[in-house]
Amino acid sequence: MTGFATHIARRKFLAGASATAAAGALTACSTAPVPSGASGTPAGEEGSEGTVTPALGEATVDFDGVHQAGVVTPAQAHLNLVGFNFVEGGVDREGLTRLMRSWTEDARRLTGGAAPVGSLEPEMVRAPANLTFTVGFGPRAVELAGAAPLAEIPAFSRDQLEEKWGQTDLVLQICGDDPLTVSHATRHMVRTSPTYATPTWMQQGFLHASGTRRPGETPRNLFGQLDGTVNPRTAGEQDEQVWREDGSTVMVVRRIRMDMDEWEMLDRTSREESMGRTLDTGAPLSGGGEFDAPDYGATDRYGLPVIDPASHMARARPAEGHPEQRMLRRAYNYDLPPEADGLSNSGLVFICFQRDPDEQFTPVQQRLDDLDRLNTWITHIGSAVYWIPPGTTEDAFWAQRFLAV
Amino acid sequence: MTGFATHIARRKFLAGASATAAAGALTACSTAPVPSGASGTPAGEEGSEGTVTPALGEATVDFDGVHQAGVVTPAQAHLNLVGFNFVEGGVDREGLTRLMRSWTEDARRLTGGAAPVGSLEPEMVRAPANLTFTVGFGPRAVELAGAAPLAEIPAFSRDQLEEKWGQTDLVLQICGDDPLTVSHATRHMVRTSPTYATPTWMQQGFLHASGTRRPGETPRNLFGQLDGTVNPRTAGEQDEQVWREDGSTVMVVRRIRMDMDEWEMLDRTSREESMGRTLDTGAPLSGGGEFDAPDYGATDRYGLPVIDPASHMARARPAEGHPEQRMLRRAYNYDLPPEADGLSNSGLVFICFQRDPDEQFTPVQQRLDDLDRLNTWITHIGSAVYWIPPGTTEDAFWAQRFLAV
C-alpha cells in the first residue's frame, strides 16, 4: 500500500469511528465509500488538514480494481465527457504510454481526494464526492495499444450527425457528485495532456443531485422518463453484458437531441404510450412496478395491445432468440442555453457499455432507427465508440499490460 | 393559508417528527427548511405521493416574505440566470401584470415541491432541494411598473462587453441544490412566458454541491479563492447594504471571464498576493482567520506592505469615509467547453445585491477598473442591472403593489 493509499484509508477509518460513536441512527449518514446518493450529511469529520468536510465530500469510489471505475459505479450527479485527439504529427506508442502513466497517477490521487504531485491547488481536490475517471481509446489509440480492433458503429438512416460531436482518439469520462470538483478535475487532466492530446469536445451532463435520490433509484431524463430501468444490476448480469474476459468493455457515446418544444405538446397518455411505461413509477403499461416484466400480449377492452409494439420499450427489447441484445445504459441529461433558433437545446449524452457493440448496441439501435415512436422527438447528433481498458492494480497505469510490452 | 401551503406545512411537520423520533444526533440531518449545505441525508420521509424522497430533496426555502428569496438565501449549488426581453411590439402594464401573476403562482408552487396548475410533469417537481426564484426588472419593466428609475452602470475602461450578455427587460434567477429540478423549473418558467417575453440569454453556474460544504462556508471560485468573505451576514448588515425601505433591492450582473491558462502559470505566492488573501483559509495575508480584519499597515522585514495596495482585497474595500461601499456578492462559477480558440472558457457569473449601485457597486468597480492586480487574468464581458421588487404575501404576486394600482 502506498503512503497515499494509507492516508485515505486512515481518513475513512476515522470517519467510520465517529459515525458509530454518535448514534446507531446515524448509519444513514455514514461516510463510508458508498454509491452516489447514499451519503450526504453535513455532520462531517476532522480532515487531515484540520478542516471539516461534510460526508458527501469525503465519499470516494475505489480507483483500482479489476475494472475501471465509472462503468458499473452508480451514476453520480455530474458528467464531463471530454474527447481528445492526438496532437498533429501524431503520437507513438511511447507517447501514449507516457500520457497513460501521467493521467493514471493523477486520476488515482484525485479520486482519493489528494492533490496530484506538483499541484498548486490542493484546496480544489479535498471533496472527491465519488469522483471517478474512466479512460477510453478510439480506433487510433486501440491500434497503438495493439488491442482488438473496435467495432464500427454504422450510419443509421435517421442520424443527423454533427462533425463536432464525432469520434476522437481518446475520451475521459469524469463523473462526480460535486460540480466544482468535477470542473477542477477536468481542468487538471486537460492541462496535463497537451504534449500528446488536446480536447476536441466536452459533453457536460447532469442527473438528480446526491441527497435527492434513494440508493439505486433510476434517474429521470428531461422527458420525465425513468432511464435505465433494465440495466444489469447483479455481478452476473454485468459479466454477461458488460465485461470482457480481460476486464475491459466498450463504450458507445451518442449525443441525442430531445425536442422539448414538440414533446410538451403531448398529453400524458401519448407520452406514456410512446415509451411503453408510465411516467410516475416507470412501470410497464401492462401493470406492476418499475422492475416487473412487461406483458406484451396484454390487450385492452378493444383487443388492442396495451403496450404499443412501436413504443420505445417494445422496440428496444432484445429480439427473440437474442438475449445478448442488452447493455448498461449510463446516460446524462444536458440542458444548454437555446441557440440562435430560439428552440430548446436539450437532450441526452447517451453512454452505454457492453462487451461488443456489434451484438448489443447496434442491432438495438438499428431496430429503433427503423421504428420507435420516440423518434418524432429525438435526433442522434453525435456518435463515437471507445475501448475501455481493464482496471488497474495500485502500481499499474491504464492499459499498461497492452502498452508496456 | 391556501390548500397548497397547508400541504407543504404538513410535509415539513412529518419530516421534523420522524427526525426527532430517530435520534438526537439526527439533528444534523433535519429536513427543516434550512440553508443550502445544511441538509442531505438519504434517510428520507414518506412523501404525499407514497414515494420516499431523501432529505435534501425535501428541503425548501420560503417563497413569501418581506423580501424575495434568492438574495440573502445561502447560495445553492446551481444557478440558471435567464434574461428575457419583451416580445416585439412591446408589453404594456397589463401584460406585465399578467406575466407576474402567472410566474408568481407557478414559482410559489414549484418552490414548495408542488406542480404548477395544469403541469403535465408532476414527477419533475418533487425534489425542490432549496429551489428559489428571484425576479428582476430591467429599465423598461421598471418604467411600466412606475418604480424608481434604475441606476445605470457606466462603461468601465477595461470592459470588453459582448452584446449577447447585455441588459434585458426582465431576469429570472433560478437557484437550487438539484440540477434536474433547476433545469425543469427553468423550462417551466420559459415556456410560460412567450406571449410577453422570450429568453435572450441564459447564464448557468455552479458552486460546491450541498453535502460537501459546511453551513455558511464561503464558496470557492475557479481561481481557488474563497469568494464572498466580507458579505453582510447579520440582518442589520443586510438592512444597511441590501434592502431598501420598501423591501426591494438592486441586482447587478457582470459576466467575468477568467483566464485559467494564464492564471495557472503563477506560483501560489503570486496568486495570493494578487488577491491579498491566502488560498487555503482565505485569511488576509496579514494573518488571522478568514473573517479577521486585514492589517493594511503591516510590513514585512524589508518594510514593504504585507498586503499589496494593488491587491484585489485592498482595492475592493470601501474607500475611507465611505462605509456604504459594501454589497452582497452571490457569484457562481461557469466552466464551459473551450471555444474555437481552444482556450479555457471559464469564469464567474458575478451577481451582487445592494440598495443603490451608484453608491455601492459602481465606485468599487471603478476602483478595480483603475487598478487591481487580478485584472491581468479577468475580463468583464457582460453587464446588466435589475430592480428586484419586494417580497410577497401568500395572496399577492411579484410587484403587485406597483402594478395593480
Side-chain angles (χ1 to χ4, degrees):
Chain A
M1 202 179 233
T2 65
F4 153 70
T6 311
H7 169 71
I8 298 302
R10 188 179 61 79
R11 291 169 84 181
K12 280 182 195 163
F13 169 73
L14 289 173
S18 66
T20 309
L26 267 171
T27 306
C29 303
S30 162
T31 60
V34 285
S36 156
S39 64
T41 163
E45 59 139 332
E46 194 70 16
S48 59
E49 288 83 20
T51 57
V52 175
T53 309
L56 174 63
E58 288 284 324
T60 55
V61 176
D62 288 338
F63 181 85
D64 295 304
V66 176
H67 310 297
Q68 286 193 58
V71 179
V72 297
T73 307
Q76 303 96 322
H78 298 280
L79 162 79
N80 272 355
L81 186 73
V82 190
F84 292 83
N85 276 332
F86 292 142
V87 290
E88 268 190 63
V91 163
D92 60 12
R93 191 175 165 89
E94 201 178 313
L96 182 58
T97 302
R98 283 212 198 93
L99 178 58
M100 286 305 114
R101 195 188 296 272
S102 149
W103 267 0
T104 303
E105 187 181 321
D106 291 355
R108 184 182 281 129
R109 291 183 68 87
L110 287 163
T111 298
V117 175
S119 160
L120 294 179
E121 295 107 12
E123 298 84 8
M124 300 295 271
V125 309
R126 283 183 191 154
N130 295 312
L131 183 67
T132 58
F133 297 84
T134 315
V135 75
F137 284 22
R140 290 214 292 170
V142 164
E143 198 183 332
L144 282 179
L150 266 172
E152 276 183 40
I153 307 300
F156 298 99
S157 69
R158 298 183 49 88
D159 284 357
Q160 295 185 25
L161 302 185
E162 300 174 15
E163 206 181 332
K164 64 179 172 182
W165 304 118
Q167 182 68 50
T168 60
D169 295 329
L170 293 169
V171 77
L172 270 181
Q173 176 194 274
I174 304 175
C175 295
D177 282 317
D178 186 286
L180 189 64
T181 300
V182 169
S183 165
H184 177 74
T186 304
R187 175 75 194 156
H188 180 83
M189 298 299 272
V190 165
R191 72 187 172 190
T192 306
S193 70
T195 314
Y196 309 105
T198 52
T200 302
W201 47 247
M202 176 153 71
Q203 304 196 46
Q204 302 180 303
F206 62 90
L207 299 172
H208 268 310
S210 172
T212 68
R213 283 174 291 157
R214 287 160 288 141
E217 184 175 334
T218 309
R220 283 189 195 275
N221 64 31
L222 297 179
F223 281 176
Q225 301 158 334
L226 294 177
D227 202 328
T229 297
V230 298
N231 269 346
R233 281 156 205 270
T234 68
E237 290 170 339
Q238 291 165 356
D239 281 342
E240 265 178 35
Q241 298 176 35
V242 181
W243 303 121
R244 297 175 165 198
E245 281 60 33
D246 65 359
S248 70
T249 182
V250 178
M251 167 199 263
V252 173
V253 180
R254 303 284 288 186
R255 191 170 180 88
I256 305 177
R257 185 188 281 271
M258 292 159 59
D259 186 340
M260 300 295 290
D261 305 281
E262 292 294 323
W263 174 258
E264 290 170 355
M265 306 276 190
L266 300 179
D267 59 24
R268 272 177 81 85
T269 306
S270 302
R271 297 182 193 189
E272 293 182 332
E273 285 178 351
S274 70
M275 185 62 185
R277 292 181 177 276
T278 64
L279 283 163
D280 54 354
T281 66
L285 292 180
S286 52
E290 180 189 351
F291 299 106
D292 287 331
D295 176 2
Y296 290 104
T299 52
D300 64 15
R301 55 184 171 148
Y302 306 109
L304 298 170
V306 173
I307 300 172
D308 187 334
S311 67
H312 185 74
M313 180 178 71
R315 298 292 297 170
R317 74 181 147 144
E320 206 153 318
H322 288 279
E324 75 284 1
Q325 292 179 357
R326 299 174 194 273
M327 68 202 85
L328 171 63
R329 292 163 174 84
R330 203 171 188 282
Y332 280 83
N333 304 307
Y334 73 84
D335 183 22
L336 299 169
E339 295 188 335
D341 57 12
L343 300 179
S344 66
N345 186 3
S346 309
L348 215 55
V349 186
F350 176 89
I351 297 172
C352 68
F353 296 96
Q354 59 254 291
R355 294 167 56 100
D356 182 356
D358 278 345
E359 301 209 329
Q360 297 170 276
F361 171 79
T362 297
V364 173
Q365 182 54 33
Q366 185 59 60
R367 217 155 41 232
L368 295 173
D369 188 72
D370 291 343
L371 178 65
D372 172 4
R373 282 189 55 179
L374 272 187
N375 283 342
T376 308
W377 306 282
I378 65 176
T379 310
H380 289 237
I381 60 173
S383 184
V385 57
Y386 302 94
W387 174 62
I388 307 294
T392 44
T393 51
E394 275 177 20
D395 51 0
F397 59 86
W398 278 327
Q400 179 168 341
R401 74 180 94 159
F402 296 86
L403 291 167
V405 284
Chain B
M1 200 179 231
T2 65
F4 152 71
T6 312
H7 169 70
I8 298 303
R10 188 179 61 79
R11 291 169 82 180
K12 280 181 194 162
F13 168 74
L14 288 172
S18 66
T20 310
L26 267 173
T27 305
C29 302
S30 161
T31 60
V34 286
S36 158
S39 65
T41 161
E45 60 140 329
E46 194 71 15
S48 59
E49 289 82 21
T51 58
V52 175
T53 309
L56 174 63
E58 287 286 323
T60 54
V61 176
D62 287 339
F63 181 85
D64 294 304
V66 176
H67 311 297
Q68 286 193 57
V71 179
V72 298
T73 307
Q76 303 96 321
H78 298 279
L79 162 79
N80 272 357
L81 186 73
V82 190
F84 292 83
N85 276 331
F86 292 142
V87 291
E88 267 188 64
V91 163
D92 60 12
R93 192 175 165 89
E94 200 178 312
L96 182 57
T97 303
R98 283 211 199 93
L99 178 59
M100 287 305 114
R101 195 188 295 271
S102 150
W103 267 359
T104 303
E105 186 181 323
D106 291 355
R108 185 182 281 129
R109 291 183 68 88
L110 287 163
T111 298
V117 175
S119 161
L120 295 179
E121 296 106 13
E123 300 82 9
M124 301 296 271
V125 309
R126 285 183 190 153
N130 295 312
L131 183 68
T132 58
F133 298 84
T134 316
V135 76
F137 283 23
R140 290 213 294 170
V142 164
E143 198 183 331
L144 282 180
L150 265 173
E152 276 184 40
I153 307 300
F156 299 100
S157 69
R158 298 184 48 88
D159 283 358
Q160 294 185 23
L161 302 184
E162 300 173 15
E163 206 180 330
K164 64 179 172 182
W165 304 119
Q167 182 69 51
T168 60
D169 294 328
L170 293 169
V171 76
L172 271 181
Q173 176 193 275
I174 304 175
C175 294
D177 282 317
D178 186 286
L180 189 64
T181 300
V182 169
S183 164
H184 177 73
T186 304
R187 176 76 193 155
H188 179 83
M189 298 299 271
V190 165
R191 72 186 172 191
T192 306
S193 70
T195 314
Y196 309 105
T198 52
T200 302
W201 46 248
M202 175 155 70
Q203 304 197 45
Q204 301 180 303
F206 61 90
L207 300 172
H208 268 311
S210 172
T212 69
R213 285 174 291 157
R214 285 160 290 139
E217 183 174 335
T218 309
R220 283 189 194 275
N221 64 31
L222 297 178
F223 281 177
Q225 302 158 335
L226 294 178
D227 202 327
T229 296
V230 298
N231 268 347
R233 282 155 205 272
T234 67
E237 290 170 339
Q238 290 165 357
D239 281 342
E240 265 178 35
Q241 299 175 35
V242 180
W243 303 121
R244 298 175 165 199
E245 281 61 31
D246 66 359
S248 70
T249 182
V250 178
M251 167 198 264
V252 173
V253 180
R254 303 283 288 185
R255 191 170 179 89
I256 305 178
R257 185 187 281 271
M258 293 160 57
D259 186 340
M260 301 295 291
D261 306 281
E262 292 294 323
W263 174 258
E264 289 170 355
M265 305 276 190
L266 300 178
D267 58 24
R268 271 178 81 84
T269 306
S270 303
R271 297 182 194 189
E272 293 181 333
E273 285 178 352
S274 71
M275 185 61 185
R277 293 182 177 276
T278 65
L279 283 163
D280 54 355
T281 66
L285 292 179
S286 52
E290 180 189 351
F291 300 105
D292 288 331
D295 176 2
Y296 290 104
T299 52
D300 64 16
R301 55 184 171 147
Y302 306 108
L304 297 171
V306 172
I307 299 173
D308 187 333
S311 67
H312 184 76
M313 180 178 70
R315 298 293 296 171
R317 74 182 145 143
E320 208 154 316
H322 287 280
E324 75 282 3
Q325 291 179 357
R326 299 174 194 273
M327 67 203 85
L328 170 64
R329 292 163 173 84
R330 203 171 187 280
Y332 279 83
N333 304 308
Y334 73 84
D335 182 23
L336 298 170
E339 295 188 334
D341 57 12
L343 300 178
S344 66
N345 187 3
S346 308
L348 214 56
V349 185
F350 176 88
I351 297 172
C352 68
F353 296 96
Q354 60 253 290
R355 295 166 56 101
D356 182 357
D358 278 346
E359 301 209 328
Q360 297 171 277
F361 171 79
T362 297
V364 173
Q365 182 54 33
Q366 185 58 60
R367 217 153 45 231
L368 295 173
D369 187 72
D370 291 342
L371 178 65
D372 172 3
R373 281 189 55 178
L374 271 188
N375 282 343
T376 309
W377 305 282
I378 64 176
T379 310
H380 289 237
I381 60 173
S383 184
V385 58
Y386 302 94
W387 174 62
I388 307 294
T392 44
T393 50
E394 274 177 22
D395 50 0
F397 59 86
W398 279 327
Q400 179 168 343
R401 75 180 92 160
F402 297 86
L403 291 167
V405 283

